[in-house]
Amino acid sequence: YWAFSGCSSLTSVEIPNSVISIRNYAFWGCSSLTSVEIPNSVRSIGYSAFSNCNELESIIVDEENPVYDSREGCNAIIATLSNTLVVGCKSTIIPNSVASIGNYAFYECYSLTSVEIPNSVTSIGEAAFKYCSSLTSVEIPNSVTSIGNSAFDNCSGLTSITSYISADKLFEIESDVFKDFDKAKCTLYVPYGAQETYAATAGWNDFTNIVEMDAPTFDLTVSSAGYATLYLDYAVEIPEGVEVYTAQAIEGDRLMMDLVEDVLPANTGVLVKAPAGTYTFNYTETEVPEIADNLFSGSVTTKYVSVPSNKTAFVLSSVDGNVGMYLAKLTDGQFLNNSNKAYLLLSKDKLGISEDEVDTSIGGMQLSLRFDFNGSTGIDGVQTETSVQGAIYDLYGRKLQSAPTKGLYIINGKKVLVK
C-alpha cells in the first residue's frame, strides 16, 4: 500500500512481469506520471491505485493479461470478466461494452473535463467521480440502475447533469451522491414528463432546478438492404414511407410478419422495412395496447444477451445478398446486442431442431429465417429439377455437404423441387 504515493517527480515506471498485485494507493499522487503499462502477470489492482495522477493519459494493459484489458485503446483498466472499469484517467473513452464503472475509478481525477457514459453501463460505483472538480457536465444513461455513495461528491465544476433515467425506472439515491457542490448553480435535466417524479424522489430532489427535456425522438438509419430492427422504451409515431412489422409465428424457414399501423407501442421489438435513408420516430402520448405474441425481443442499451441451451438467437443480417434473421454468433453463450435493436430468442422446440443441428460452421450465420410479409417466402416460383448444381440449402438455410434427396431445397436463391 502507498508504495510510490506522493512521488510527484516520477514521470515513468516500468512494472516487471513478476508483479501480481498493485495495492491500494500504490501510485496515488504521482502527479507527473503520464503513462503506465500493466503486464500480463498482474491479477489484482486495489482501489485508488492511480488516483490523483493528473497528468496520466495513457494506460495500456498487456494483451495477454487474463484478468484485465484496455480494449479499443480506451486508456483505462477494465476487469475483463465483469466488464467493470476499475481505473480511468483524463483521456479515458469508456467503451460500449463496459457494464459498470467501479468504485473509485476516477477518484481525484482533477484534470478530467468530460466523460461520456455509454448506455451499456448499469451501475456507477462508490466515489467513482469524487473530486473530479474540472468536470462541468455529465450525462447518465437510462441503463443505469444504481449509483453508489459519493459518486459525484465534490465535483465542484458541475453546472449541468442530464439524466435519461425514465420516471418508471427512477430509483432513490443517497444524499451524498451529489454532495458538496452548489446545486443552485447546477441544472438537472430529466426526461420528458418526469419532472414531478424526480422532484419527489430522494437524492434527486436535492436539486432546486429540475428541467424537463423535449419529447424524445429517435433517428433510425436503414441501409441499402432496406431493413433494420428497432426497440424503444417509449411509444412513437411511425414515419411516412416506413413499414413496421412484428414477428408472430414460424412456419418452416419463414418468419410470419404482421404490420403495425400508425403507432409503435413502447418496449416492442420490430423489423423496419423502408428505402435506404434515415427516419425520425417521434414520441407520442397516444395510448395503444401492447402487441401480443410478438417473437421479437430487444434492448434500449448495448448489452450482452445470454442464450440458454434450449434456445437459439437470431439477428438481422444479409448473407450473399439474402436478408433475414440469421443465427447469432455466440461467445461464451452470449452475444452483443446493440442499443435500440431487436433480436429473436427462440425455443429450439419451436424451430423443430435439436442442439446438434445448430451449425455455426460459417461464423454463426448459417441457420436462417426468411421474412414472410403476405404468405409468400419472397422466392419467386418453384422449379422442378432431376439434377442440380451449385450450393444447396435446406429450408432452414443449412448448407448440404452431399447431393440432396427428393424434396424442396434452396438453390441459387430459388426454391427447387428435387425429384
Side-chain angles (χ1 to χ4, degrees), residues 80-103:
T80 304
L81 186 61
S82 64
N83 291 307
T84 299
L85 192 151
V86 295
V87 176
C89 67
K90 67 178 182 178
S91 58
T92 293
I93 299 175
I94 304 175
N96 267 331
S97 53
V98 167
S100 60
I101 299 173
N103 298 342

Side-chain angles (χ1 to χ4, degrees), residues 126-147:
E126 178 181 343
F129 294 94
K130 188 173 182 177
Y131 293 116
C132 291
S133 55
S134 297
L135 193 61
T136 58
S137 64
V138 66
E139 295 186 1
I140 302 173
N142 191 37
S143 55
V144 171
T145 58
S146 67
I147 302 177

Side-chain angles (χ1 to χ4, degrees), residues 370-392:
R370 300 174 182 271
F371 304 123
D372 189 333
F373 299 103
N374 52 17
S376 168
T377 62
I379 302 174
D380 298 329
V382 176
Q383 295 182 356
T384 301
E385 297 285 347
T386 56
S387 63
V388 294
Q389 293 181 341
I392 306 168

Side-chain angles (χ1 to χ4, degrees), residues 27-236:
F27 293 91
W28 179 89
C30 292
S31 55
S32 298
L33 187 64
T34 60
S35 64
V36 64
E37 295 186 15
I38 306 299
N40 63 19
S41 58
V42 171
R43 298 296 183 267
S44 67
I45 298 175
Y47 64 81
S48 293
F50 296 93
S51 294
N52 199 11
C53 294
N54 289 305
E55 294 303 314
L56 185 60
E57 58 184 359
S58 175
I59 303 176
I60 300 173
V61 179
D62 190 289
E63 291 183 357
E64 300 299 321
N65 191 301
V67 177
Y68 299 104
D69 66 79
S70 53
R71 66 192 68 169
E72 301 174 29
C74 61
N75 288 315
I77 301 174
I78 298 170
T80 304
L81 186 61
S82 64
N83 291 307
T84 299
L85 192 151
V86 295
V87 176
C89 67
K90 67 178 182 178
S91 58
T92 293
I93 299 175
I94 304 175
N96 267 331
S97 53
V98 167
S100 60
I101 299 173
N103 298 342
Y104 297 88
F106 291 89
Y107 182 73
E108 292 185 320
C109 190
Y110 298 108
S111 54
L112 182 69
T113 58
S114 64
V115 63
E116 183 174 337
I117 302 174
N119 57 17
S120 57
V121 171
T122 59
S123 65
I124 299 173
E126 178 181 343
F129 294 94
K130 188 173 182 177
Y131 293 116
C132 291
S133 55
S134 297
L135 193 61
T136 58
S137 64
V138 66
E139 295 186 1
I140 302 173
N142 191 37
S143 55
V144 171
T145 58
S146 67
I147 302 177
N149 295 345
S150 300
F152 296 94
D153 185 3
N154 271 281
C155 291
S156 55
L158 279 176
T159 57
S160 72
I161 298 170
T162 303
S163 174
Y164 291 97
I165 303 171
S166 57
D168 62 325
K169 296 180 179 179
L170 190 64
F171 50 89
E172 294 184 355
I173 56 176
E174 296 295 330
S175 60
D176 65 356
V177 167
F178 298 105
K179 183 183 176 184
D180 288 339
F181 63 87
D182 192 349
K183 295 183 182 65
K185 295 181 179 179
C186 182
T187 301
L188 174 61
Y189 295 95
V190 302
Y192 180 77
Q195 194 274 342
E196 291 185 3
T197 303
Y198 274 80
T201 303
W204 304 97
N205 57 8
D206 291 340
F207 288 87
T208 57
N209 191 19
I210 303 177
V211 177
E212 285 188 6
M213 293 180 278
D214 294 335
T217 62
F218 186 83
D219 290 334
L220 177 69
T221 298
V222 178
S223 71
S224 59
Y227 296 94
T229 62
L230 180 63
Y231 184 92
L232 299 171
D233 58 357
Y234 50 88
V236 290

Side-chain angles (χ1 to χ4, degrees), residues 160-415:
S160 72
I161 298 170
T162 303
S163 174
Y164 291 97
I165 303 171
S166 57
D168 62 325
K169 296 180 179 179
L170 190 64
F171 50 89
E172 294 184 355
I173 56 176
E174 296 295 330
S175 60
D176 65 356
V177 167
F178 298 105
K179 183 183 176 184
D180 288 339
F181 63 87
D182 192 349
K183 295 183 182 65
K185 295 181 179 179
C186 182
T187 301
L188 174 61
Y189 295 95
V190 302
Y192 180 77
Q195 194 274 342
E196 291 185 3
T197 303
Y198 274 80
T201 303
W204 304 97
N205 57 8
D206 291 340
F207 288 87
T208 57
N209 191 19
I210 303 177
V211 177
E212 285 188 6
M213 293 180 278
D214 294 335
T217 62
F218 186 83
D219 290 334
L220 177 69
T221 298
V222 178
S223 71
S224 59
Y227 296 94
T229 62
L230 180 63
Y231 184 92
L232 299 171
D233 58 357
Y234 50 88
V236 290
E237 297 175 347
I238 298 174
E240 188 173 340
V242 173
E243 296 177 5
V244 170
Y245 294 88
T246 56
Q248 295 295 312
I250 298 170
E251 294 184 8
D253 70 335
R254 297 181 299 163
L255 190 61
M256 312 305 290
M257 313 303 292
D258 192 41
L259 184 67
V260 180
E261 302 279 1
D262 301 326
V263 174
L264 173 63
N267 303 307
T268 306
V270 291
L271 176 77
V272 176
K273 182 181 180 184
T278 300
Y279 299 89
T280 300
F281 290 75
N282 292 308
Y283 169 84
T284 179
E285 294 183 354
T286 302
E287 294 187 6
V288 290
E290 294 182 3
I291 298 175
D293 302 322
N294 181 21
L295 298 179
F296 278 119
S297 302
S299 61
V300 295
T301 62
T302 297
K303 60 180 291 187
Y304 283 96
V305 179
S306 297
V307 182
S309 60
N310 65 333
K311 292 191 175 182
T312 303
F314 294 83
V315 294
L316 180 69
S317 191
S318 176
V319 176
D320 297 330
N322 296 313
V323 179
M325 300 299 294
Y326 285 81
L327 192 67
K329 185 177 181 179
L330 304 184
T331 302
D332 297 326
Q334 58 185 4
F335 70 96
L336 185 66
N337 189 61
N338 289 325
S339 60
N340 302 113
K341 297 299 182 184
Y343 57 86
L344 294 172
L345 193 59
L346 303 175
S347 167
K348 291 178 180 177
D349 292 339
K350 184 183 289 289
L351 293 167
I353 60 175
S354 61
E355 186 170 350
D356 58 1
E357 287 182 296
V358 179
D359 187 352
T360 60
S361 61
I362 56 172
M365 301 299 290
Q366 189 164 351
L367 188 62
S368 64
L369 297 168
R370 300 174 182 271
F371 304 123
D372 189 333
F373 299 103
N374 52 17
S376 168
T377 62
I379 302 174
D380 298 329
V382 176
Q383 295 182 356
T384 301
E385 297 285 347
T386 56
S387 63
V388 294
Q389 293 181 341
I392 306 168
Y393 299 84
D394 65 15
L395 294 185
Y396 287 108
R398 294 172 295 198
K399 187 175 181 180
L400 272 64
Q401 303 300 322
S402 58
T405 57
K406 295 179 181 180
L408 283 171
Y409 298 90
I410 306 300
I411 303 174
N412 297 324
K414 296 182 179 181
K415 184 179 288 185

